[in-house]
């Protein structure tokens, strides 16, 4: 290990300098012993050279002695051969084959170095290849020289010896003192023969030269075929009996197109023959064409036929229960789904056996109290998380009215779904948690936002259900406190006091839902139950005479049709067989069949009813949730810019927003704020403000990233950053 370390630390430059060539300075540093030997050797060399000593210098003698290690004889031999009597240089005309150089001061023989067997073999192959190339060049030159001939003027022009090999024939002549002797020689154009190789022609001046017979042209050697040619045509053979290799004909057989055309021609010929036979029997050519047309089969299903009913008159003749839809809103965990599940149980829409089954399933995951909520929350994700995610619908009937429940999610992340439910409702139920601390937190959360949204969507009737009042022993003081605060807030939002009703309930036990509570602590309440308040509510006016408008809530596949849609008819009417236009795709469809609120097949439907339409003659890619179904004669227009009369919930300024209208939502931007309006009169109070404060009504211009179906009179909601910033009416 130490030896390796010494090698690693070795100073290579110092070692190289030690064994390098010596300079003049090193000569001056000779040891005394070497200096004595140098003087003695120099004297011996000078004495041996004698008279020739003047031809060399002392430095040359000392250098030779140093390199030959004081050998006087080698030094004398080197000085004589190098300086005194050097060998003569060889002549330029005959350079030696091998001229090795002397090795200088170290000497060396002039003989070529000894070659190994491998080098000798390589040299022999190289020499053989050079000889072969030289012999081929000589043969080609001889062939070309034999093709050159000399003819006179009387030679036949047909016998051109170089025809086919050279391009043209040139006539030349030489003039002498006694006359002109014509000289005819074929001049090659490709390749050109050098002048040094051209034969010399010396015609006689006194004797006419006899014509020379042309020698036969020697055919050039054939080149060997390439590997590609050998693969295609086989090896080259000089035998005249060799047959060319058969190449398969790729186009020998008819192509697939030819086969099809031939079959069609055959069918046409057969049809003509059949027609001719019928003509011979006395039938006309028109009958033959008719028979051929009858054989054609069309797979398209015929379009449904409309009965052309007067839907409005049919609706007026019908005597049945009125229909209404209401949305259930409120803060998360206020008990909305549980209260609606208990309501359906008490109305016998859901039997006790189903509730018991749901209770057992809820016990397995530790959520026994959620059994009634699972009547509406049927999705696995909703049951596992314990919150409503999407709009849950169900139906029940009383003696006078057929109701549709729209259970909206209360979590702030699902506000767009709540907006979709509110857009289909005639009135709303606001559920408030009366337990200690829950009401206050809810009022700051989604209770306030939901109230603003349902009013902005056009809902004017609201029933406030003060839930979980049994947890505070049916305290009247707590009920009055909640009623006082919520009444002031709803009135400020835009609800009229006559359209606001308060009912103390217990959603878990069913108190004051269908029947009044029997608890003595709640004897102070003498008002209506929740169902009685619902029956007392009048649905909003139906736009029966307006053009058809329906927002698609769901797209599904049913046994009746590959494409079925559900939704609430906002305006107009329709019947089976009607043509519909789906916007924004612009595709037309037909009503194959339809079902109304109770799921029973029907021939027609009017505004305010929830329907299932089974469509035909349209592809599924043209139908999406949020699209508008309208009358093709009076379609809704698709726009990307609109003006909105908006009520600000937060500070408004030119910014990015999301536009919501029912199930439809699109990205856009507030381009400009045109004016601030008075809440009562609607007059302009300020033009082009920079910002709009919360609670202020303003006119804003919104630009969308894509065209969507919108028209004047529709209500939309603007959201930004997960918060509702404004809502209003399109102008």
């Amino acid at each position: 290990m130490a030896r390796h370390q010494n090698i690693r630390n070795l100073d290579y430059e110092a070692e190289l300098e030690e064994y390098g060539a010596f300079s003049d300075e090193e000569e001056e540093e000779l040891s005394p012993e070497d200096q004595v030997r140098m003087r003695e050797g120099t004297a011996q060399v000078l004495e041996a050279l004698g008279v020739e000593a003047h031809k060399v210098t002392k430095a040359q003698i000392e250098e030779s002695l140093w390199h030959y290690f004081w050998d006087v004889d080698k030094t004398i031999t080197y000085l004589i051969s190098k300086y005194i009597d050097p060998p003569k240089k060889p002549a330029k005309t005959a350079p030696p084959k091998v001229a090795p150089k002397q090795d200088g001061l170290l000497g060396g023989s002039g003989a070529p170095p000894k070659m190994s067997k491998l080098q000798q073999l390589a040299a022999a192959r190289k020499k053989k290849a050079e000889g072969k190339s030289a012999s081929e060049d000589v043969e080609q030159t001889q062939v070309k020289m034999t093709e050159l001939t000399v003819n006179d003027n009387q030679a036949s022009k047909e016998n051109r010896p170089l025809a086919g090999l050279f391009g043209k024939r040139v006539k030349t002549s030489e003039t002498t003192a006694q006359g002109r002797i014509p000289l005819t020689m074929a001049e090659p154009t490709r390749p050109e023969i050098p002048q040094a190789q051209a034969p010399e022609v010396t015609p006689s001046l006194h004797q006419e030269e006899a014509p020379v017979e042309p020698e036969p042209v020697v055919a050039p050697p054939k080149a060997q075929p390439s590997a590609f040619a050998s693969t295609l045509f086989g090896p080259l053979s000089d035998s005249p009996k060799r047959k060319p290799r058969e190449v398969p004909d790729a186009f020998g057989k008819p192509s697939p197109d030819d086969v099809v055309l031939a079959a069609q021609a055959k069918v046409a010929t057969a049809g003509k023959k059949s027609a001719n036979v019928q003509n011979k029997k006395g039938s006309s050519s028109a009958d033959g064409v008719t028979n051929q047309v009858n054989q054609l089969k069309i797979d398209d299903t015929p379009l449904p036929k409309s009965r052309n009913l007067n839907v409005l008159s049919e609706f007026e003749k019908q005597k049945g229960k009125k229909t209404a839809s209401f949305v259930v809103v409120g803060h998360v965990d206020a008990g909305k789904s549980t209260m609606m599940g208990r309501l359906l149980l008490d109305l016998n829409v859901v039997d006790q056996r189903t509730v018991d089954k749901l209770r057992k399933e809820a016990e397995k995951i530790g959520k026994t109290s959620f059994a009634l909520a699972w009547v509406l929350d049927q999705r696995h994700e909703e049951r596992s998380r314990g919150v409503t995610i999407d709009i849950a619908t169900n139906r029940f009937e009383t003696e006078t009215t057929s109701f549709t429940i729209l259970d909206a999610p209360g979590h702030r992340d699902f506000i767009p779904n709540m907006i979709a439910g509110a857009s289909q409702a005639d009135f709303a139920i606001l559920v408030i948690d009366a337990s200690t601390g829950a009401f206050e937190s809810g009022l700051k959360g989604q209770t306030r936002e939901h109230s603003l949204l349902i009013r902005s969507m056009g809902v004017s009737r609201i029933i406030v259900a003060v839930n979980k009042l049994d947890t505070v022993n049916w305290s009247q003081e707590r009920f009055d406190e909640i009623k006082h605060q919520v009444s002031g807030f709803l009135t400020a939002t835009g609800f009229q006091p006559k359209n606001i009703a308060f009912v103390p309930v217990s959603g878990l036990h069913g108190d004051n839902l269908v029947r009044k509570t029997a608890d003595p602590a709640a004897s102070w309440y003498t008002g209506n139950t929740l169902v009685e308040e619902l029956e007392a509510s009048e649905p909003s006016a139906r736009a029966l005479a307006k053009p058809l408008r329906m927002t698609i809530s769901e797209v599904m596949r049913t046994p009746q049709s590959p494409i079925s849609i559900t939704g609430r008819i906002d305006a107009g009417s329709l019947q089976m067989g009607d043509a519909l236009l789906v916007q924004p795709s612009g595709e037309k469809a037909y009503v194959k069949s339809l079902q109304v609120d109770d799921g029973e097949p029907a021939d027609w439907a009017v505004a305010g009813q929830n329907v299932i339409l089974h469509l035909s003659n349209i592809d599924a890619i043209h139908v999406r949730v949020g699209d508008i179904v309208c009358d093709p004669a009076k379609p809704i227009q698709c726009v990307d810019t609109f003006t909105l009369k908006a009520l600000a919930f937060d500070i408004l300024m030119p910014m990015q927003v999301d536009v919501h209208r029912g199930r439809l939502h699109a990205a856009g931007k507030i381009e400009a704020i045109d004016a601030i309006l008075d809440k009562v009169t609607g007059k302009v109070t300020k033009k082009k403000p920079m910002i709009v404060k919360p609670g202020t009504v303003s006119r804003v211009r919104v630009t969308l990233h894509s065209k969507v179906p919108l028209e004047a009179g529709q209500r939309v909601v603007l959201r930004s950053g997960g918060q509702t910033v404004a809502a209003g009416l399109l102008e």
Side-chain angles (χ1 to χ4, degrees), residues 87 127 409:
K127 185 176 180 180

Side-chain angles (χ1 to χ4, degrees), residues 225-472:
S226 63
F228 179 72
S230 299
T231 303
L232 290 179
F233 305 105
L236 183 63
S237 176
D238 296 335
S239 176
K241 297 181 180 181
R242 182 175 63 88
K243 295 182 180 180
R245 186 177 179 181
E246 295 182 1
V247 180
D249 189 4
F251 302 96
K253 297 181 180 180
S255 66
D257 293 341
D258 295 338
V259 173
V260 174
L261 293 175
Q264 292 177 350
K266 186 176 180 179
V267 172
T269 304
K272 290 181 180 179
K273 291 181 179 180
S274 176
N276 293 334
V277 171
Q278 291 180 1
N279 290 335
K280 291 179 181 180
K281 292 181 180 180
S283 61
S284 62
S285 60
D287 295 336
V289 175
T290 303
N291 293 334
Q292 295 180 10
V293 172
N294 292 335
Q295 294 176 359
L296 298 177
K297 295 181 180 180
I298 300 176
D299 296 334
D300 293 340
T301 304
L303 298 177
K305 296 181 180 180
S306 176
R307 296 185 180 182
N308 296 322
L309 300 175
N310 189 342
V311 177
L312 297 182
S313 61
E314 293 290 334
F315 176 69
E316 293 176 356
K317 294 178 183 178
Q318 186 184 35
K319 294 181 179 180
K321 297 179 180 180
K322 61 182 180 180
T323 60
S325 300
F326 64 90
V327 61
V328 184
V329 298
H331 191 63
V332 63
D333 294 335
K336 300 182 294 297
S337 299
T338 300
M339 186 176 69
M340 290 298 102
R342 184 69 190 195
L343 179 66
L344 295 175
L345 176 62
D346 293 346
L347 291 172
N348 296 324
V349 176
V350 179
D351 56 6
Q352 186 64 39
R353 179 190 231 172
T354 302
V355 176
D356 293 340
K357 180 181 178 181
L358 294 175
R359 184 173 286 108
K360 290 181 180 180
E361 294 178 359
E363 288 177 355
K364 294 180 181 180
I365 61 175
K367 296 183 179 181
T368 307
S369 60
F370 286 82
L372 292 172
W374 285 8
V375 174
L376 293 173
D377 297 340
Q378 299 182 359
R379 298 172 57 180
H380 175 72
E381 186 178 3
E382 292 177 329
R383 293 184 176 183
S384 61
R385 296 180 59 177
V387 295
T388 303
I389 295 176
D390 202 354
I391 294 294
T393 60
N394 212 317
R395 297 185 66 259
F396 68 92
E397 294 183 1
T398 62
E399 295 180 357
T400 59
T401 311
S402 175
F403 291 100
T404 300
I405 303 174
L406 301 170
D407 186 18
H411 200 279
R412 58 180 300 177
D413 293 341
F414 310 117
I415 291 294
N417 295 337
M418 178 266 164
I419 295 172
S423 64
Q424 306 176 36
D426 296 312
F427 40 87
I429 295 178
L430 177 62
V431 182
I432 294 178
D433 189 352
S435 58
T436 305
F439 164 68
E440 288 76 12
S441 62
L443 193 61
K444 297 178 182 179
Q446 272 59 61
T447 300
R448 179 183 297 273
E449 185 176 8
H450 285 192
S451 302
L452 290 171
L453 286 173
I454 59 177
R455 185 66 190 98
S456 301
M457 298 305 296
V459 176
S460 58
R461 166 70 170 167
I462 186 170
I463 301 172
V464 181
V466 184
N467 193 22
K468 302 182 183 180
L469 201 60
D470 56 325
T471 59
V472 292

Side-chain angles (χ1 to χ4, degrees), residues 135-146:
S135 62
E136 290 179 357
D137 294 342
V138 172
E139 291 177 1
Q140 292 180 2
T141 305
Q142 290 177 356
V143 170
K144 294 178 181 178
M145 294 296 295
T146 56

Side-chain angles (χ1 to χ4, degrees), residues 612-635:
I612 301 175
L613 302 182
H614 305 291
L615 305 180
S616 64
N617 203 39
I618 191 171
D619 197 275
I621 62 175
H622 302 302
V623 184
R624 298 175 301 177
V625 174
D627 289 354
I628 301 295
V629 175
C630 58
D631 187 355
K634 298 178 181 179

Side-chain angles (χ1 to χ4, degrees), residues 16 57 59 63 114 139 191 224 230 310 364 411 441 470 479 490 508 520 581 596 599:
L16 292 175
T57 62
E63 182 180 2
K114 187 177 181 180
E139 291 177 1
Q224 292 297 327
S230 299
N310 189 342
K364 294 180 181 180
H411 200 279
S441 62
D470 56 325
F479 177 79
L490 294 177
L508 184 61
L581 184 67
V596 291

